[in-house]
Amino acid sequence: MTQLSRGGLREKQGTTPSSVSMAVLWVEGFGLILAMPLFGVVPEARSVFVLPMVVLALLFISSLISAAFVLPSVALGHWLGERRGGGRRWWWVVTAAVLVLVLVGILSLVVAFYERGSVFGSWQDILDWSLYASAVYCISIPAVLAAHRTVLRADAGHRVWSVGQILGYGSLLLLVEAVGVLMVFTVLG
């Protein structure tokens, strides 16, 4: 991977932060699909035929969230950390994620206002938007922190986890989650 650094172009080996972010978000999305029965959504037997489309949708959504939210959050967090003298620390990245979420939320509200007029017709609409924003923030924070760590490790010259390792360990954790879901169903059911 070739990156533009302060001294010019340099060659680095490893995974880009966008790939790491997409892999983490994909694993989280697949984990949510596995946990759907806990939320009361029980898939039918024929829904297995829809699974390839769900995987493609997860890939698209994870790349969209990575490009529109995760990478700007990491870049803004690093910029804020360097400007405030604290260095590129994780708390700057998490704080920047809130700022980027507000900016993305305002942009989506402007688009929704121009498409259909008044966006907030009631308090329920405000609650829905804030719940949506909270869910996006909570789901994307692990990806933001993973991309942040990838940038720091790559800049320090350390080895960076590959996407295959992230998907492998993530799949192992999903297996643990699936066993936990099955145990909950066995106890409740």
Side-chain angles (χ1 to χ4, degrees):
M1 152 178 88
T2 303
Q3 284 187 328
L4 184 64
S5 67
R6 292 184 184 123
L9 289 178
R10 63 180 172 175
E11 193 71 25
K12 290 194 170 212
Q13 297 297 323
T15 307
T16 62
S18 60
S19 307
V20 170
S21 167
M22 286 174 53
V24 169
L25 287 170
W26 193 87
V27 168
E28 285 182 336
F30 210 75
L32 285 174
I33 290 172
L34 285 178
M36 282 174 63
L38 290 178
F39 302 119
V41 179
V42 181
E44 297 178 11
R46 63 178 175 224
S47 64
V48 74
F49 298 113
V50 182
L51 193 58
M53 299 308 283
V54 170
V55 169
L56 286 175
L58 274 176
L59 183 63
F60 174 73
I61 291 170
S62 65
S63 62
L64 181 68
I65 291 176
S66 291
F69 183 72
V70 171
L71 297 179
S73 297
V74 172
L76 180 63
H78 288 176
W79 182 80
L80 285 174
E82 289 173 358
R83 296 296 176 259
R84 301 296 296 169
R88 297 187 298 179
R89 306 272 189 237
W90 68 270
W91 56 81
W92 287 111
V93 177
V94 173
T95 304
V98 172
L99 296 174
V100 171
L101 181 67
V102 168
L103 292 174
V104 169
I106 289 172
L107 180 66
S108 62
L109 286 174
V110 167
V111 169
F113 177 76
Y114 280 118
E115 283 185 0
R116 59 184 166 130
S118 177
V119 178
F120 296 127
S122 67
W123 285 103
Q124 183 65 36
D125 293 339
I126 295 172
L127 183 65
D128 290 344
W129 276 92
S130 54
L131 183 64
Y132 167 73
S134 300
V136 168
Y137 183 77
C138 291
I139 288 172
S140 62
I141 282 299
V144 168
L145 292 174
H148 164 69
R149 184 169 186 250
T150 300
V151 170
L152 291 183
R153 289 187 60 82
D155 285 349
H158 295 105
R159 184 176 170 272
V160 177
W161 274 19
S162 68
V163 172
Q165 287 175 315
I166 292 170
L167 291 176
Y169 287 118
S171 299
L172 182 64
L173 290 174
L174 286 178
L175 180 64
V176 170
E177 179 186 357
V179 168
V181 168
L182 288 176
M183 289 175 65
V184 167
F185 277 140
T186 303
V187 169
L188 294 177

mmCIF file of all heavy atoms in Angstrom, residues 17-32 58-71 135-144 146 166-167 174:
data_model
loop_
_atom_site.group_PDB
_atom_site.id
_atom_site.type_symbol
_atom_site.label_atom_id
_atom_site.label_comp_id
_atom_site.label_asym_id
_atom_site.label_seq_id
_atom_site.Cartn_x
_atom_site.Cartn_y
_atom_site.Cartn_z
ATOM 1 N N PRO A 17 -6.723 1.028 6.428
ATOM 2 C CA PRO A 17 -7.758 1.231 7.452
ATOM 3 C C PRO A 17 -9.171 1.010 6.920
ATOM 4 O O PRO A 17 -10.041 0.538 7.646
ATOM 5 C CB PRO A 17 -7.559 2.689 7.876
ATOM 6 C CG PRO A 17 -6.171 3.018 7.507
ATOM 7 C CD PRO A 17 -5.844 2.185 6.317
ATOM 8 N N SER A 18 -9.411 1.310 5.646
ATOM 9 C CA SER A 18 -10.753 1.089 5.097
ATOM 10 C C SER A 18 -11.084 -0.395 5.039
ATOM 11 O O SER A 18 -12.217 -0.794 5.320
ATOM 12 C CB SER A 18 -10.871 1.726 3.710
ATOM 13 O OG SER A 18 -9.924 1.160 2.833
ATOM 14 N N SER A 19 -10.112 -1.223 4.703
ATOM 15 C CA SER A 19 -10.354 -2.673 4.675
ATOM 16 C C SER A 19 -10.626 -3.215 6.067
ATOM 17 O O SER A 19 -11.512 -4.054 6.253
ATOM 18 C CB SER A 19 -9.144 -3.405 4.085
ATOM 19 O OG SER A 19 -8.785 -2.886 2.860
ATOM 20 N N VAL A 20 -9.864 -2.736 7.032
ATOM 21 C CA VAL A 20 -10.062 -3.173 8.414
ATOM 22 C C VAL A 20 -11.444 -2.755 8.897
ATOM 23 O O VAL A 20 -12.175 -3.539 9.497
ATOM 24 C CB VAL A 20 -8.949 -2.603 9.316
ATOM 25 C CG1 VAL A 20 -9.264 -2.831 10.786
ATOM 26 C CG2 VAL A 20 -7.620 -3.216 8.959
ATOM 27 N N SER A 21 -11.807 -1.516 8.611
ATOM 28 C CA SER A 21 -13.113 -1.014 9.015
ATOM 29 C C SER A 21 -14.240 -1.825 8.387
ATOM 30 O O SER A 21 -15.208 -2.208 9.057
ATOM 31 C CB SER A 21 -13.233 0.459 8.624
ATOM 32 O OG SER A 21 -14.542 0.896 8.731
ATOM 33 N N MET A 22 -14.133 -2.098 7.098
ATOM 34 C CA MET A 22 -15.172 -2.877 6.412
ATOM 35 C C MET A 22 -15.265 -4.285 6.980
ATOM 36 O O MET A 22 -16.364 -4.815 7.150
ATOM 37 C CB MET A 22 -14.894 -2.913 4.915
ATOM 38 C CG MET A 22 -15.194 -1.606 4.232
ATOM 39 S SD MET A 22 -14.720 -1.556 2.500
ATOM 40 C CE MET A 22 -15.511 -2.999 1.846
ATOM 41 N N ALA A 23 -14.118 -4.893 7.300
ATOM 42 C CA ALA A 23 -14.134 -6.248 7.854
ATOM 43 C C ALA A 23 -14.805 -6.272 9.227
ATOM 44 O O ALA A 23 -15.616 -7.163 9.509
ATOM 45 C CB ALA A 23 -12.713 -6.794 7.946
ATOM 46 N N VAL A 24 -14.485 -5.292 10.070
ATOM 47 C CA VAL A 24 -15.097 -5.241 11.404
ATOM 48 C C VAL A 24 -16.604 -5.016 11.284
ATOM 49 O O VAL A 24 -17.402 -5.681 11.954
ATOM 50 C CB VAL A 24 -14.427 -4.148 12.261
ATOM 51 C CG1 VAL A 24 -15.206 -3.897 13.532
ATOM 52 C CG2 VAL A 24 -13.003 -4.535 12.590
ATOM 53 N N LEU A 25 -17.007 -4.099 10.417
ATOM 54 C CA LEU A 25 -18.439 -3.835 10.248
ATOM 55 C C LEU A 25 -19.160 -5.048 9.658
ATOM 56 O O LEU A 25 -20.306 -5.333 10.014
ATOM 57 C CB LEU A 25 -18.645 -2.610 9.354
ATOM 58 C CG LEU A 25 -18.318 -1.271 10.003
ATOM 59 C CD1 LEU A 25 -18.310 -0.169 8.964
ATOM 60 C CD2 LEU A 25 -19.295 -0.966 11.108
ATOM 61 N N TRP A 26 -18.503 -5.779 8.757
ATOM 62 C CA TRP A 26 -19.131 -6.961 8.160
ATOM 63 C C TRP A 26 -19.342 -8.028 9.233
ATOM 64 O O TRP A 26 -20.403 -8.650 9.295
ATOM 65 C CB TRP A 26 -18.266 -7.493 7.026
ATOM 66 C CG TRP A 26 -18.968 -8.487 6.197
ATOM 67 C CD1 TRP A 26 -19.768 -8.252 5.131
ATOM 68 C CD2 TRP A 26 -18.956 -9.915 6.371
ATOM 69 N NE1 TRP A 26 -20.253 -9.422 4.625
ATOM 70 C CE2 TRP A 26 -19.775 -10.463 5.368
ATOM 71 C CE3 TRP A 26 -18.334 -10.775 7.259
ATOM 72 C CZ2 TRP A 26 -19.978 -11.827 5.240
ATOM 73 C CZ3 TRP A 26 -18.539 -12.132 7.142
ATOM 74 C CH2 TRP A 26 -19.357 -12.639 6.140
ATOM 75 N N VAL A 27 -18.335 -8.229 10.077
ATOM 76 C CA VAL A 27 -18.475 -9.218 11.156
ATOM 77 C C VAL A 27 -19.587 -8.798 12.116
ATOM 78 O O VAL A 27 -20.399 -9.630 12.539
ATOM 79 C CB VAL A 27 -17.128 -9.401 11.895
ATOM 80 C CG1 VAL A 27 -17.313 -10.174 13.177
ATOM 81 C CG2 VAL A 27 -16.127 -10.109 10.996
ATOM 82 N N GLU A 28 -19.654 -7.502 12.448
ATOM 83 C CA GLU A 28 -20.729 -7.029 13.328
ATOM 84 C C GLU A 28 -22.097 -7.216 12.683
ATOM 85 O O GLU A 28 -23.052 -7.621 13.346
ATOM 86 C CB GLU A 28 -20.536 -5.550 13.650
ATOM 87 C CG GLU A 28 -19.451 -5.273 14.630
ATOM 88 C CD GLU A 28 -19.357 -3.796 14.934
ATOM 89 O OE1 GLU A 28 -19.773 -2.973 14.102
ATOM 90 O OE2 GLU A 28 -18.886 -3.473 16.020
ATOM 91 N N GLY A 29 -22.205 -6.922 11.401
ATOM 92 C CA GLY A 29 -23.480 -7.095 10.702
ATOM 93 C C GLY A 29 -23.914 -8.541 10.668
ATOM 94 O O GLY A 29 -25.092 -8.858 10.883
ATOM 95 N N PHE A 30 -22.975 -9.435 10.407
ATOM 96 C CA PHE A 30 -23.321 -10.855 10.391
ATOM 97 C C PHE A 30 -23.691 -11.331 11.789
ATOM 98 O O PHE A 30 -24.568 -12.182 11.955
ATOM 99 C CB PHE A 30 -22.162 -11.677 9.811
ATOM 100 C CG PHE A 30 -22.625 -12.908 9.122
ATOM 101 C CD1 PHE A 30 -23.224 -12.828 7.880
ATOM 102 C CD2 PHE A 30 -22.487 -14.143 9.712
ATOM 103 C CE1 PHE A 30 -23.669 -13.968 7.239
ATOM 104 C CE2 PHE A 30 -22.930 -15.282 9.086
ATOM 105 C CZ PHE A 30 -23.521 -15.198 7.847
ATOM 106 N N GLY A 31 -23.049 -10.755 12.807
ATOM 107 C CA GLY A 31 -23.417 -11.080 14.191
ATOM 108 C C GLY A 31 -24.832 -10.631 14.518
ATOM 109 O O GLY A 31 -25.564 -11.324 15.222
ATOM 110 N N LEU A 32 -25.222 -9.469 13.993
ATOM 111 C CA LEU A 32 -26.604 -9.018 14.196
ATOM 112 C C LEU A 32 -27.597 -9.948 13.509
ATOM 113 O O LEU A 32 -28.692 -10.193 14.021
ATOM 114 C CB LEU A 32 -26.773 -7.590 13.682
ATOM 115 C CG LEU A 32 -26.167 -6.505 14.558
ATOM 116 C CD1 LEU A 32 -26.270 -5.153 13.861
ATOM 117 C CD2 LEU A 32 -26.840 -6.468 15.908
ATOM 118 N N LEU A 58 -24.626 -6.421 3.158
ATOM 119 C CA LEU A 58 -23.698 -6.143 4.252
ATOM 120 C C LEU A 58 -22.401 -5.542 3.738
ATOM 121 O O LEU A 58 -21.851 -4.609 4.336
ATOM 122 C CB LEU A 58 -23.391 -7.418 5.030
ATOM 123 C CG LEU A 58 -24.330 -7.805 6.142
ATOM 124 C CD1 LEU A 58 -23.925 -9.137 6.732
ATOM 125 C CD2 LEU A 58 -24.374 -6.752 7.199
ATOM 126 N N LEU A 59 -21.901 -6.066 2.627
ATOM 127 C CA LEU A 59 -20.678 -5.532 2.043
ATOM 128 C C LEU A 59 -20.877 -4.083 1.600
ATOM 129 O O LEU A 59 -20.036 -3.216 1.856
ATOM 130 C CB LEU A 59 -20.244 -6.395 0.860
ATOM 131 C CG LEU A 59 -18.941 -6.001 0.189
ATOM 132 C CD1 LEU A 59 -17.784 -6.128 1.170
ATOM 133 C CD2 LEU A 59 -18.702 -6.856 -1.029
ATOM 134 N N PHE A 60 -22.005 -3.797 0.970
ATOM 135 C CA PHE A 60 -22.289 -2.442 0.520
ATOM 136 C C PHE A 60 -22.445 -1.484 1.703
ATOM 137 O O PHE A 60 -21.877 -0.383 1.716
ATOM 138 C CB PHE A 60 -23.554 -2.420 -0.343
ATOM 139 C CG PHE A 60 -23.985 -1.046 -0.736
ATOM 140 C CD1 PHE A 60 -23.285 -0.334 -1.683
ATOM 141 C CD2 PHE A 60 -25.089 -0.457 -0.124
ATOM 142 C CE1 PHE A 60 -23.668 0.941 -2.037
ATOM 143 C CE2 PHE A 60 -25.483 0.821 -0.467
ATOM 144 C CZ PHE A 60 -24.771 1.523 -1.429
ATOM 145 N N ILE A 61 -23.197 -1.889 2.713
ATOM 146 C CA ILE A 61 -23.431 -1.026 3.867
ATOM 147 C C ILE A 61 -22.141 -0.795 4.643
ATOM 148 O O ILE A 61 -21.862 0.327 5.083
ATOM 149 C CB ILE A 61 -24.538 -1.620 4.763
ATOM 150 C CG1 ILE A 61 -25.879 -1.530 4.045
ATOM 151 C CG2 ILE A 61 -24.604 -0.927 6.112
ATOM 152 C CD1 ILE A 61 -26.991 -2.286 4.718
ATOM 153 N N SER A 62 -21.320 -1.834 4.799
ATOM 154 C CA SER A 62 -20.063 -1.652 5.526
ATOM 155 C C SER A 62 -19.110 -0.741 4.764
ATOM 156 O O SER A 62 -18.409 0.068 5.382
ATOM 157 C CB SER A 62 -19.409 -2.999 5.828
ATOM 158 O OG SER A 62 -19.031 -3.647 4.635
ATOM 159 N N SER A 63 -19.096 -0.827 3.441
ATOM 160 C CA SER A 63 -18.233 0.084 2.685
ATOM 161 C C SER A 63 -18.767 1.511 2.731
ATOM 162 O O SER A 63 -18.004 2.471 2.822
ATOM 163 C CB SER A 63 -18.084 -0.391 1.242
ATOM 164 O OG SER A 63 -19.326 -0.393 0.585
ATOM 165 N N LEU A 64 -20.089 1.671 2.716
ATOM 166 C CA LEU A 64 -20.678 3.004 2.802
ATOM 167 C C LEU A 64 -20.409 3.650 4.160
ATOM 168 O O LEU A 64 -20.006 4.818 4.241
ATOM 169 C CB LEU A 64 -22.188 2.917 2.545
ATOM 170 C CG LEU A 64 -22.955 4.226 2.567
ATOM 171 C CD1 LEU A 64 -22.542 5.089 1.384
ATOM 172 C CD2 LEU A 64 -24.442 3.972 2.537
ATOM 173 N N ILE A 65 -20.591 2.906 5.239
ATOM 174 C CA ILE A 65 -20.325 3.441 6.574
ATOM 175 C C ILE A 65 -18.837 3.731 6.752
ATOM 176 O O ILE A 65 -18.457 4.735 7.366
ATOM 177 C CB ILE A 65 -20.855 2.489 7.664
ATOM 178 C CG1 ILE A 65 -22.381 2.476 7.649
ATOM 179 C CG2 ILE A 65 -20.350 2.884 9.042
ATOM 180 C CD1 ILE A 65 -23.002 1.493 8.612
ATOM 181 N N SER A 66 -17.983 2.877 6.178
ATOM 182 C CA SER A 66 -16.544 3.121 6.269
ATOM 183 C C SER A 66 -16.154 4.417 5.569
ATOM 184 O O SER A 66 -15.386 5.220 6.101
ATOM 185 C CB SER A 66 -15.754 1.965 5.651
ATOM 186 O OG SER A 66 -15.883 0.819 6.435
ATOM 187 N N ALA A 67 -16.693 4.621 4.364
ATOM 188 C CA ALA A 67 -16.316 5.811 3.598
ATOM 189 C C ALA A 67 -16.951 7.088 4.145
ATOM 190 O O ALA A 67 -16.318 8.141 4.163
ATOM 191 C CB ALA A 67 -16.712 5.623 2.135
ATOM 192 N N ALA A 68 -18.197 7.004 4.609
ATOM 193 C CA ALA A 68 -18.911 8.216 5.020
ATOM 194 C C ALA A 68 -18.748 8.549 6.498
ATOM 195 O O ALA A 68 -18.943 9.702 6.883
ATOM 196 C CB ALA A 68 -20.403 8.062 4.707
ATOM 197 N N PHE A 69 -18.377 7.578 7.322
ATOM 198 C CA PHE A 69 -18.360 7.836 8.756
ATOM 199 C C PHE A 69 -17.035 7.451 9.426
ATOM 200 O O PHE A 69 -16.445 8.257 10.138
ATOM 201 C CB PHE A 69 -19.516 7.088 9.424
ATOM 202 C CG PHE A 69 -19.622 7.342 10.895
ATOM 203 C CD1 PHE A 69 -20.059 8.560 11.365
ATOM 204 C CD2 PHE A 69 -19.273 6.371 11.803
ATOM 205 C CE1 PHE A 69 -20.141 8.813 12.718
ATOM 206 C CE2 PHE A 69 -19.345 6.605 13.154
ATOM 207 C CZ PHE A 69 -19.791 7.837 13.616
ATOM 208 N N VAL A 70 -16.553 6.241 9.189
ATOM 209 C CA VAL A 70 -15.402 5.737 9.935
ATOM 210 C C VAL A 70 -14.117 6.474 9.559
ATOM 211 O O VAL A 70 -13.411 7.007 10.423
ATOM 212 C CB VAL A 70 -15.247 4.215 9.729
ATOM 213 C CG1 VAL A 70 -13.953 3.714 10.315
ATOM 214 C CG2 VAL A 70 -16.428 3.489 10.342
ATOM 215 N N LEU A 71 -13.798 6.516 8.278
ATOM 216 C CA LEU A 71 -12.542 7.143 7.865
ATOM 217 C C LEU A 71 -12.505 8.646 8.152
ATOM 218 O O LEU A 71 -11.475 9.144 8.627
ATOM 219 C CB LEU A 71 -12.278 6.841 6.395
ATOM 220 C CG LEU A 71 -12.091 5.347 6.084
ATOM 221 C CD1 LEU A 71 -11.870 5.128 4.613
ATOM 222 C CD2 LEU A 71 -10.960 4.763 6.898
ATOM 223 N N ALA A 135 -27.666 4.136 17.267
ATOM 224 C CA ALA A 135 -27.350 2.796 16.763
ATOM 225 C C ALA A 135 -26.163 2.830 15.805
ATOM 226 O O ALA A 135 -25.261 1.980 15.884
ATOM 227 C CB ALA A 135 -28.576 2.199 16.076
ATOM 228 N N VAL A 136 -26.148 3.801 14.900
ATOM 229 C CA VAL A 136 -25.019 3.923 13.971
ATOM 230 C C VAL A 136 -23.731 4.175 14.743
ATOM 231 O O VAL A 136 -22.684 3.581 14.447
ATOM 232 C CB VAL A 136 -25.272 5.041 12.937
ATOM 233 C CG1 VAL A 136 -24.017 5.389 12.167
ATOM 234 C CG2 VAL A 136 -26.378 4.640 11.990
ATOM 235 N N TYR A 137 -23.783 5.031 15.745
ATOM 236 C CA TYR A 137 -22.597 5.338 16.540
ATOM 237 C C TYR A 137 -22.094 4.089 17.272
ATOM 238 O O TYR A 137 -20.911 3.768 17.220
ATOM 239 C CB TYR A 137 -22.919 6.452 17.532
ATOM 240 C CG TYR A 137 -21.728 6.894 18.352
ATOM 241 C CD1 TYR A 137 -20.758 7.709 17.797
ATOM 242 C CD2 TYR A 137 -21.585 6.490 19.671
ATOM 243 C CE1 TYR A 137 -19.658 8.111 18.538
ATOM 244 C CE2 TYR A 137 -20.503 6.894 20.415
ATOM 245 C CZ TYR A 137 -19.536 7.703 19.847
ATOM 246 O OH TYR A 137 -18.453 8.085 20.590
ATOM 247 N N CYS A 138 -22.990 3.374 17.941
ATOM 248 C CA CYS A 138 -22.582 2.195 18.712
ATOM 249 C C CYS A 138 -22.053 1.071 17.827
ATOM 250 O O CYS A 138 -21.102 0.381 18.192
ATOM 251 C CB CYS A 138 -23.753 1.694 19.552
ATOM 252 S SG CYS A 138 -24.197 2.800 20.883
ATOM 253 N N ILE A 139 -22.658 0.899 16.668
ATOM 254 C CA ILE A 139 -22.213 -0.164 15.770
ATOM 255 C C ILE A 139 -20.876 0.174 15.135
ATOM 256 O O ILE A 139 -20.039 -0.704 14.914
ATOM 257 C CB ILE A 139 -23.296 -0.443 14.704
ATOM 258 C CG1 ILE A 139 -24.479 -1.142 15.352
ATOM 259 C CG2 ILE A 139 -22.744 -1.265 13.558
ATOM 260 C CD1 ILE A 139 -25.672 -1.297 14.452
ATOM 261 N N SER A 140 -20.630 1.458 14.869
ATOM 262 C CA SER A 140 -19.428 1.812 14.125
ATOM 263 C C SER A 140 -18.220 2.121 15.003
ATOM 264 O O SER A 140 -17.102 2.189 14.485
ATOM 265 C CB SER A 140 -19.717 3.002 13.214
ATOM 266 O OG SER A 140 -20.080 4.106 13.989
ATOM 267 N N ILE A 141 -18.382 2.280 16.297
ATOM 268 C CA ILE A 141 -17.239 2.597 17.156
ATOM 269 C C ILE A 141 -16.157 1.508 17.129
ATOM 270 O O ILE A 141 -14.975 1.832 17.062
ATOM 271 C CB ILE A 141 -17.708 2.910 18.596
ATOM 272 C CG1 ILE A 141 -18.269 4.318 18.633
ATOM 273 C CG2 ILE A 141 -16.590 2.793 19.615
ATOM 274 C CD1 ILE A 141 -17.283 5.404 18.270
ATOM 275 N N PRO A 142 -16.482 0.204 17.169
ATOM 276 C CA PRO A 142 -15.397 -0.776 17.039
ATOM 277 C C PRO A 142 -14.629 -0.649 15.720
ATOM 278 O O PRO A 142 -13.410 -0.810 15.695
ATOM 279 C CB PRO A 142 -16.119 -2.129 17.126
ATOM 280 C CG PRO A 142 -17.347 -1.840 17.895
ATOM 281 C CD PRO A 142 -17.760 -0.464 17.490
ATOM 282 N N ALA A 143 -15.324 -0.320 14.641
ATOM 283 C CA ALA A 143 -14.641 -0.136 13.361
ATOM 284 C C ALA A 143 -13.766 1.113 13.383
ATOM 285 O O ALA A 143 -12.660 1.119 12.830
ATOM 286 C CB ALA A 143 -15.663 -0.046 12.234
ATOM 287 N N VAL A 144 -14.243 2.172 14.030
ATOM 288 C CA VAL A 144 -13.451 3.399 14.146
ATOM 289 C C VAL A 144 -12.175 3.126 14.934
ATOM 290 O O VAL A 144 -11.069 3.527 14.530
ATOM 291 C CB VAL A 144 -14.291 4.521 14.817
ATOM 292 C CG1 VAL A 144 -13.419 5.696 15.219
ATOM 293 C CG2 VAL A 144 -15.389 4.984 13.887
ATOM 294 N N ALA A 146 -10.699 0.207 15.401
ATOM 295 C CA ALA A 146 -9.838 -0.708 14.656
ATOM 296 C C ALA A 146 -9.079 0.024 13.552
ATOM 297 O O ALA A 146 -7.883 -0.221 13.340
ATOM 298 C CB ALA A 146 -10.673 -1.843 14.061
ATOM 299 N N ILE A 166 -8.783 -10.704 10.722
ATOM 300 C CA ILE A 166 -9.934 -10.059 11.360
ATOM 301 C C ILE A 166 -11.190 -10.882 11.127
ATOM 302 O O ILE A 166 -11.971 -11.131 12.045
ATOM 303 C CB ILE A 166 -10.112 -8.627 10.828
ATOM 304 C CG1 ILE A 166 -8.951 -7.758 11.293
ATOM 305 C CG2 ILE A 166 -11.431 -8.026 11.291
ATOM 306 C CD1 ILE A 166 -8.902 -6.410 10.646
ATOM 307 N N LEU A 167 -11.393 -11.331 9.895
ATOM 308 C CA LEU A 167 -12.574 -12.146 9.600
ATOM 309 C C LEU A 167 -12.498 -13.491 10.306
ATOM 310 O O LEU A 167 -13.519 -14.015 10.759
ATOM 311 C CB LEU A 167 -12.730 -12.329 8.095
ATOM 312 C CG LEU A 167 -13.106 -11.083 7.303
ATOM 313 C CD1 LEU A 167 -13.131 -11.391 5.813
ATOM 314 C CD2 LEU A 167 -14.433 -10.523 7.757
ATOM 315 N N LEU A 174 -18.159 -14.926 16.437
ATOM 316 C CA LEU A 174 -19.546 -15.152 16.023
ATOM 317 C C LEU A 174 -20.007 -16.558 16.365
ATOM 318 O O LEU A 174 -21.170 -16.769 16.693
ATOM 319 C CB LEU A 174 -19.701 -14.903 14.524
ATOM 320 C CG LEU A 174 -19.675 -13.450 14.089
ATOM 321 C CD1 LEU A 174 -19.792 -13.369 12.579
ATOM 322 C CD2 LEU A 174 -20.783 -12.668 14.738
#
